[in-house]
């Protein structure tokens, strides 16, 4: 492509051409197409992008232009924007400098004129009134302009005739009295007459201009005063609406939440959660977002006024903002009227005060020799991993931390729209990762049959139960039910791959969320967790991958994308984007945020295809959305969290001793309790004892299974190769043989289930007759996957204090 040979620009001309723009230290200078027009300098990657995708714009009215050398120059507007540019030659650079200086002068002059006359212009009205008023103003301006031209012309004539009269008077003084006197006097009289006529015309023109200006000045002053009064009235109305909104919000919060004497400190510390009534539609703005396909970049363009809406209520919240204006009763009114947990209908029960601290983490140095000397002569699968790599919580407790932000599901249960409900469910899926950003310690691998209950019915209206249902591969089943109309269940098995510098942990299994009122059934899977700097450096965690949240009843879908961290990316770290679509694929909401801080949603008003993007030539979808509304924000960690394994407020309470829990509960695990108390050497010894006890129990189960299937081989020991010990499974460096061994188990299970039998959970190549205590294995009707589902009986056993059937695993 040849360089454009543009002439030296004149003021006001549009100037275009190729320049080299500095991007970064890796790519250096890149060729870009620059356009200078109306005091703005914009650039594009190619000329074809001019119609749809501007890469950047700088206003020359406030910009500083500096020349560095023969071809380089810099444009900056005070720090926020700086363009380092290079022309192909010194002549080309001078053309650009000339064009930029002229455009800057013109832009500065126009800005000054705009500032001077900004308060004097009459704001346009709507419809015919606006057209007639605009026409009247234009006519007045033309009249004033003609009067000013008359004044200028009269001024020139007065100056001309005045100087001629002055010369005549001077000549008159030098003339001797005689025959020429009468002629000179006649000339002076004529010139004086002309001067008087011109002066009178000047005075008349000034009088007309003054009268016209005074007449219109009064009208403009009245209009300005009316606008000022209207602004004051709007400010007063806005203030009243804000007070009413605040009052209604406090009334709603007081009617739906327990009194302060009963509230949970962990919840109170979170502060107000953004709910249905936290914003009105008064100041909605339209924004355009790129579709989350390949490039996660958001583009903002001027708004389309036809999508601006006014709302008469500040309490309707996100339901009103997201388009739920079909006459249905607002969620807040429903909850105020019929919430069974309101103080009027709930019996006052004292709530237990939870702990807010645990013993600080000891500063023990990790001695690799002390670990290796105990491994000499042992098989790899029997090497015990010390608690130095752990945190004093089990994997079951970490799984229960998914309920940290249960309020999102509470609000989702109240939604009338399934698409709006999908936004809250998607935010809940992202919020479960917020507790992992600083948590580099590995949780304890649960023993087979270990359980963990989280009973928060009094504080939060839900309770959950986890059980370790399989040990090879490790798998845990989780079931949570809320009095506020939702149920959450999941079965998670972990597969890991060690890549030398980092460890990838891939959760297997689906998560189900069912809402009782609407019968909406949502499923999704977890993304990959990556632990970096395993060998050398400071450990840090990243989440990456994609999640599809599916509503099996309506066909709605939310596609979430967790962007992996990149040192060279310009995007914010830990970014998450998503689009909520209906069963026909039409986009309704755009989600954006980060998995460690917050999530927002915006309603899509219109979508369109943009131009080509990138080398592959794929088109990006541009979404026109309303102003973003916050769905979720992370609660700050408690004070001193860096000394308490970076535990959240909920995590600090998970290992707190409670009466009445099952004997298999993680709170009763001795090695975990010793580690929390800072007695790590004793914890290591206790951990080895528990692992050996579990091996013994597994051998006994296999002997019983062998006796049942092969009575003739009674008394024989199982082959060593059939046992995969659990010590190495506590290590973050698990081998991939575990993953391979787990693959045939699902196929075997599905085949045997179809024939009506009940095979062992997660068969791993040898017989084991273990059955979970509180969960049973079934084929999920929605996903078709084999999974463990809560069979019931735990909470009834707790009420009766009957734990006789529980195994002695500790």
């Amino acid at each position: 492509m040849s360089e454009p040979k543009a002439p030296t620009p004149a003021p006001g001309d549009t100037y275009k051409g190729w320049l080299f723009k500095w991007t970064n230290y890796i790519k250096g200078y890149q060729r870009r197409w620059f356009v200078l027009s109306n005091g703005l300098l914009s650039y594009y990657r190619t000329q074809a992008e001019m119609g749809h995708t501007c890469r950047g714009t700088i206003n020359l009215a406030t910009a500083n232009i500096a020349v560095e050398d023969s071809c380089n120059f810099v444009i900056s507007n005070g720090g926020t924007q700086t363009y380092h540019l290079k022309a192909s030659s010194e002549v080309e650079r001078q053309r650009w400098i000339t064009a930029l200086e002229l455009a800057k002068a013109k832009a500065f002059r126009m800005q000054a004129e705009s500032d001077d006359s900004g308060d004097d212009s009459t704001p346009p009205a709507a419809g015919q009134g606006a057209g007639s008023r605009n026409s009247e103003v234009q006519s007045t301006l033309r009249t004033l302009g003609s009067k000013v031209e008359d004044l200028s012309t009269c001024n020139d004539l007065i100056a001309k005739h005045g100087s001629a009269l002055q010369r005549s008077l001077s000549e008159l003084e030098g003339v001797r009295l005689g025959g020429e006197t009468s002629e000179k006097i006649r000339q002076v009289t004529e010139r004086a007459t002309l001067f008087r006529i011109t002066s009178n015309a000047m005075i008349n023109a000034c009088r007309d201009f003054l009268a016209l200006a005074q007449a219109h000045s009064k009208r403009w002053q009245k209009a300005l005063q009316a606008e000022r009064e209207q602004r004051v009235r709007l400010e007063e109305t806005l203030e009243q609406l804000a007070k009413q909104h605040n009052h209604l919000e406090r009334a709603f919060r007081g009617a739906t939440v327990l009194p302060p004497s009963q509230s949970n400190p962990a919840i109170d510390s979170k502060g107000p959660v953004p709910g249905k009534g936290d914003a009105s539609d008064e100041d909605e703005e339209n924004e355009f977002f790129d579709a989350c396909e390949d490039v996660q970049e958001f583009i903002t363009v001027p708004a389309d006024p036809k999508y601006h809406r006014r709302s008469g209520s500040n309490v309707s919240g996100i339901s009103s903002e997201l388009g739920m204006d079909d006459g249905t009763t607002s969620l807040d009114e429903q909850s105020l009227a019929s919430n069974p947990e309101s103080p009027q209908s709930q019996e006052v029960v004292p709530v237990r005060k939870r702990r807010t601290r645990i013993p600080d983490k000891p500063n023990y140095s990790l001695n690799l020799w002390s670990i290796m000397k105990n491994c000499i002569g042992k098989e790899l699968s029997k090497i015990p991993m010390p608690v130095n790599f752990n945190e004093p919580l089990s994997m079951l407790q970490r799984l229960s931390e998914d309920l940290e932000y249960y309020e999102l599901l509470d609000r989702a249960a109240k939604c009338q729209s399934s698409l709006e409900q999908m936004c809250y469910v998607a935010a809940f899926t992202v919020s479960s990762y917020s507790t992992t950003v600083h948590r580099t310690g590995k949780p304890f691998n649960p023993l087979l049959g270990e359980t963990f209950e989280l009973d928060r019915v009094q504080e939060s209206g839900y309770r959950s139960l986890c059980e370790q249902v399989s040990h090879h591969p490790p798998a845990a089943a989780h079931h949570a039910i809320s009095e506020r109309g939702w149920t959450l269940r999941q079965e998670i098995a972990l597969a890991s791959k060690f890549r030398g510098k980092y460890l990838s942990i891939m959760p297997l299994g689906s998560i189900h969320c069912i809402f009782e009122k609407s019968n909406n059934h949502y499923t999704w899977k977890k993304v990959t967790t990556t632990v970096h700097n395993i060998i050398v450096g400071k450990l840090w965690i990243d989440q990456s991958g994609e999640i599809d949240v599916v509503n099996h009843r309506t066909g709605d879908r939310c596609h979430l994308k967790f962007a992996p961290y990149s040192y060279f990316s310009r995007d914010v770290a830990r970014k998450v984007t998503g689009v909520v679509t209906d069963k026909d694929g039409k986009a309704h909401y755009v989600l954006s945020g980060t998995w460690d801080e917050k999530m927002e949603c915006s309603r899509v008003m219109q979508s369109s295809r943009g131009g080509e993007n990138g080398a592959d030539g794929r088109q990006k979808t541009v979404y026109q959305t309303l102003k973003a509304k916050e769905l979720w924000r992370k609660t700050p960690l408690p004070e001193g969290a860096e000394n308490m394994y970076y535990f959240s407020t909920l995590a600090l309470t998970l290992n707190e001793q409670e009466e009445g829990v099952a004997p298999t509960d993680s709170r009763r695990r001795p090695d975990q309790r010793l580690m929390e108390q800072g007695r790590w050497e004793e914890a290591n010894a206790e951990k080895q004892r528990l692992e050996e006890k579990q091996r013994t129990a597994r051998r006994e189960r296999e002997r019983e299974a062998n006796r049942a299937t092969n009575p003739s081989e009674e008394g024989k020991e199982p082959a060593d190769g059939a046992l995969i010990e659990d010590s190495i499974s506590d290590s973050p460096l698990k081998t991939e043989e575990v993953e391979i061994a787990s693959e045939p188990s699902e196929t075997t299970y599905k085949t045997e289930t179809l024939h009506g039998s009940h095979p062992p959970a997660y068969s791993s190549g040898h017989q084991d007759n273990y059955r979970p205590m509180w969960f049973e294995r079934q084929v999920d009707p929605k996903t078709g996957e084999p999974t463990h589902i809560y069979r019931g009986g735990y909470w009834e056993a707790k009420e009766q204090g009957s734990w006789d059937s529980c195994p002695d695993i500790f």
Side-chain angles (χ1 to χ4, degrees):
M1 183 181 293
S2 60
E3 299 288 340
K5 301 298 182 181
T8 301
D13 289 349
T14 299
Y15 194 61
K16 307 176 183 178
W18 291 100
L19 288 173
F20 293 90
K21 180 181 178 295
W22 175 262
T23 56
N24 53 53
Y25 285 99
I26 295 179
K27 295 183 179 180
Y29 282 95
Q30 296 293 316
R31 195 164 180 256
R32 298 290 183 261
W33 179 255
F34 280 80
V35 176
L36 174 61
S37 178
N38 297 325
L40 300 175
L41 179 65
S42 306
Y43 75 94
Y44 311 83
R45 286 186 179 176
T46 62
Q47 291 176 274
E49 284 189 345
M50 289 180 60
H52 53 81
T53 307
C54 177
R55 301 291 173 174
T57 301
I58 191 169
N59 189 352
L60 295 178
T62 58
N64 182 32
I65 305 172
V67 178
E68 290 187 332
D69 53 30
S70 59
C71 296
N72 292 31
F73 58 98
V74 179
I75 303 175
S76 175
N77 66 351
T80 57
Q81 285 180 296
T82 301
Y83 294 169
H84 294 266
L85 305 177
K86 181 169 67 173
S88 58
S89 64
E90 186 175 0
V91 175
E92 184 67 18
R93 186 218 66 186
Q94 190 55 45
R95 288 176 178 172
W96 275 103
I97 292 296
T98 303
L100 291 169
E101 292 291 354
L102 291 173
K104 177 182 177 180
K106 183 177 180 181
F108 182 80
R109 185 170 59 252
M110 292 175 63
Q111 184 177 12
E113 292 175 355
S114 176
D115 293 341
D116 292 341
S117 60
D119 294 335
D120 297 334
S121 60
T122 303
Q128 298 179 353
S132 60
R133 184 176 299 179
N134 187 45
S135 176
E136 180 182 357
V137 170
Q138 293 296 332
S139 175
T140 303
L141 291 177
R142 284 194 298 268
T143 304
L144 290 175
S146 64
K147 293 297 181 181
V148 169
E149 291 178 359
D150 293 344
L151 290 175
S152 178
T153 303
C154 292
N155 181 66
D156 294 340
L157 290 175
I158 287 174
K160 177 181 178 181
H161 293 307
S163 42
L165 179 61
Q166 184 65 37
R167 286 197 303 272
S168 299
L169 292 174
S170 300
E171 292 175 359
L172 183 60
E173 291 178 355
V175 174
R176 298 176 181 178
L177 294 175
E180 298 179 355
T181 302
S182 59
E183 183 64 20
K184 292 296 181 180
I185 292 175
R186 186 181 62 82
Q187 292 178 1
V188 170
T189 303
E190 290 178 356
R191 289 192 171 95
T193 302
L194 290 174
F195 184 77
R196 185 180 67 256
I197 294 172
T198 304
S199 299
N200 290 335
M202 178 73 173
I203 293 172
N204 292 333
C206 290
R207 186 184 298 111
D208 294 342
F209 177 80
L210 181 61
L212 185 61
Q214 287 177 344
H216 287 283
S217 176
K218 292 179 180 179
R219 295 179 58 188
W220 290 338
Q221 286 177 359
K222 292 180 180 179
L224 180 60
Q225 184 64 26
E227 292 295 332
R228 287 175 177 172
E229 293 175 355
Q230 179 69 11
R231 178 179 177 180
V232 171
R233 285 194 297 269
L234 288 175
E235 289 177 350
E236 293 175 352
T237 304
L238 186 60
E239 184 178 359
Q240 292 176 0
L241 288 174
K243 291 179 179 178
Q244 293 176 5
H245 166 67
N246 191 23
H247 175 72
L248 290 173
E249 192 177 49
R250 288 199 303 269
F252 168 69
R253 193 178 296 121
T256 58
V257 181
L258 293 175
S261 61
Q262 309 174 38
S263 62
N264 183 4
I267 302 174
D268 293 343
S269 63
K270 294 181 180 180
V273 179
K276 302 289 181 186
D278 56 356
S280 68
D281 300 334
E282 290 291 331
D283 299 318
E284 289 175 350
E285 297 178 359
N286 291 351
E287 300 176 1
F288 285 82
F289 293 101
D290 280 349
C292 308
E293 296 172 355
D294 290 325
V295 182
Q296 303 297 331
E297 295 180 355
F298 291 158
I299 301 175
T300 303
V301 297
D304 191 343
K306 69 180 181 180
Y307 293 123
H308 284 251
R309 297 166 47 245
R310 300 282 178 176
S311 173
S313 172
N314 285 322
V315 189
S316 56
I318 190 172
S319 298
S320 174
E321 193 276 325
L322 297 180
M324 296 195 54
D325 47 4
D326 55 354
T328 59
T329 306
S330 69
L331 300 180
D332 295 81
E333 294 172 354
Q334 291 178 0
S335 60
L336 284 170
S338 61
N339 189 356
E341 295 189 10
S342 61
Q344 293 82 359
S345 61
Q346 186 176 25
E347 183 179 352
V348 176
V349 177
V351 177
R352 174 179 175 177
K353 182 175 177 60
R354 306 286 177 179
R355 69 180 184 180
T356 58
R357 289 197 63 84
I358 62 173
D360 288 352
K361 178 181 179 181
N363 188 18
Y364 291 153
S365 60
L366 182 61
N367 190 344
L368 292 177
W369 170 245
S370 65
I371 301 174
M372 299 303 297
K373 70 180 181 179
N374 296 325
C375 303
I376 298 175
K378 292 186 178 181
E379 295 181 9
L380 180 62
S381 63
K382 295 183 179 180
I383 298 175
M385 297 304 296
V387 298
N388 303 60
F389 296 106
N390 288 47
E391 63 180 17
L393 289 179
S394 74
M395 189 62 195
L396 302 181
Q397 292 165 316
R398 283 291 293 268
L399 199 60
S400 300
E401 282 191 70
D402 286 357
L403 298 171
E404 175 92 22
Y405 298 97
Y406 69 91
E407 304 99 329
L408 292 169
L409 296 182
D410 289 349
R411 277 182 272 164
K414 299 177 182 179
C415 292
Q416 302 290 337
S417 166
S418 62
L419 293 167
E420 179 190 349
Q421 190 177 72
M422 174 69 81
C423 294
Y424 282 110
V425 174
F428 176 77
T429 66
V430 176
S431 70
S432 62
Y433 297 98
S434 63
T435 60
T436 67
V437 62
H438 300 298
R439 302 273 289 278
T440 56
K442 190 185 81 66
F444 279 80
N445 199 40
L447 302 176
L448 188 62
E450 184 176 335
T451 62
F452 178 73
E453 70 162 68
L454 184 63
D455 192 348
R456 294 290 192 269
V457 172
Q458 292 184 7
E459 302 100 317
S460 309
Y462 73 87
R463 58 187 180 185
S464 77
L465 176 67
C466 293
E467 181 180 2
Q468 186 77 357
V469 295
S470 173
H471 194 65
H472 289 297
H478 180 209
H479 182 272
I481 186 168
S482 173
E483 295 178 344
R484 297 168 189 172
W486 55 264
T487 301
L488 182 76
R489 59 179 174 88
Q490 57 182 320
E491 179 180 351
I492 299 297
L494 298 179
S496 59
K497 292 184 179 180
F498 180 57
R499 302 295 190 183
K501 296 175 64 177
Y502 63 89
L503 175 73
S504 295
I505 303 172
M506 294 149 288
L508 308 176
S510 299
I511 305 173
H512 298 253
C513 185
I514 304 100
F515 292 95
E516 179 181 349
K517 182 179 179 180
S518 61
N519 202 29
N520 287 330
H521 189 133
Y522 297 87
T523 62
W524 67 91
K525 295 180 181 292
K526 288 181 174 288
V527 295
T528 299
T529 300
T530 307
V531 185
H532 294 268
N533 295 340
I534 290 291
I535 304 299
V536 179
K538 183 179 179 181
L539 293 175
W540 60 279
I541 292 178
D542 191 24
Q543 312 287 349
S544 60
E546 298 182 1
I547 294 178
D548 280 315
V549 185
V550 181
N551 185 341
H552 292 273
R553 188 183 71 84
T554 63
D556 301 338
R557 183 180 296 267
C558 178
H559 182 75
L560 293 171
K561 185 170 184 179
F562 289 65
Y565 175 80
S566 174
Y567 180 79
F568 303 104
S569 175
R570 296 181 180 179
D571 285 334
V572 62
R574 309 180 184 97
K575 184 177 182 180
V576 181
T577 53
V579 178
V580 176
T581 58
D582 58 21
K583 62 179 180 180
D584 299 322
K586 179 182 177 182
H588 290 267
Y589 300 104
V590 170
L591 304 181
S592 62
T594 58
W595 55 263
D596 68 326
E597 184 180 0
K598 67 176 181 178
M599 284 297 293
E600 297 177 338
C601 77
S602 307
R603 186 181 180 189
V604 176
M605 304 305 299
Q606 187 177 354
S607 62
S608 60
R609 281 285 177 179
E612 293 185 357
N613 173 60
D616 56 358
R618 294 184 61 184
Q619 287 188 329
K620 297 185 297 182
T621 303
V622 179
Y623 293 120
Q624 183 180 359
T625 68
L626 298 179
K627 186 177 180 181
K629 300 294 181 181
E630 186 173 273
L631 294 173
W632 160 77
R633 179 176 291 275
K634 180 185 176 182
T635 304
L637 294 175
E639 185 178 357
E642 65 277 3
N643 299 321
M644 299 183 293
Y645 308 91
Y646 287 98
F647 282 178
S648 64
T649 304
L650 175 63
L652 289 173
T653 67
L654 293 181
N655 206 41
E656 187 177 7
Q657 290 280 17
E658 289 193 16
E659 297 294 332
V661 298
T664 56
D665 196 273
S666 299
R667 300 176 181 89
R668 300 183 183 274
R669 182 165 176 165
D671 54 347
Q672 186 173 300
R673 180 67 57 189
L674 289 169
M675 182 190 178
E676 181 185 285
Q677 295 170 356
R679 299 153 62 184
W680 284 16
E681 292 185 5
E682 298 175 56
N684 281 322
E686 191 64 25
K687 183 171 179 288
Q688 293 184 39
R689 182 189 68 80
L690 292 175
E691 290 170 356
E692 186 58 37
K693 183 176 181 179
Q694 183 170 234
R695 295 188 193 104
T696 303
R698 185 183 185 109
R699 292 191 189 100
E700 184 61 32
R701 288 195 306 270
E702 290 173 355
R703 289 192 192 97
E704 294 177 1
N706 286 332
R707 293 192 196 103
T709 56
N710 300 309
S712 60
E713 298 183 8
E714 183 175 349
K716 291 186 178 182
E717 292 288 338
D720 292 339
L723 281 176
I724 302 178
E725 302 294 349
D726 60 339
S727 298
I728 193 63
S729 67
D730 267 344
S731 168
L733 311 181
K734 290 186 293 183
T735 58
E736 295 187 31
E737 282 75 13
V738 174
E739 302 171 40
I740 298 172
S742 68
E743 291 176 1
S745 65
E746 293 190 359
T747 305
T748 304
Y749 173 75
K750 291 177 182 178
T751 304
E752 295 180 357
T753 302
L754 292 176
H755 290 81
S757 61
H758 299 278
Y762 292 99
S763 172
S764 56
H766 56 278
Q767 295 181 2
D768 186 349
N769 59 356
Y770 177 77
R771 297 289 187 274
M773 188 72 187
W774 309 109
F775 290 81
E776 60 181 355
R777 193 162 174 82
Q778 301 176 5
V779 174
D780 186 85
K782 297 295 183 182
T783 63
E785 300 174 350
T787 185
H788 281 84
I789 298 178
Y790 178 61
R791 70 173 68 179
Y794 179 87
W795 302 107
E796 292 78 5
K798 181 181 179 181
E799 290 178 2
Q800 299 171 7
S802 175
W803 303 115
D804 298 337
S805 58
C806 292
D808 180 17
I809 62 174
F810 298 142

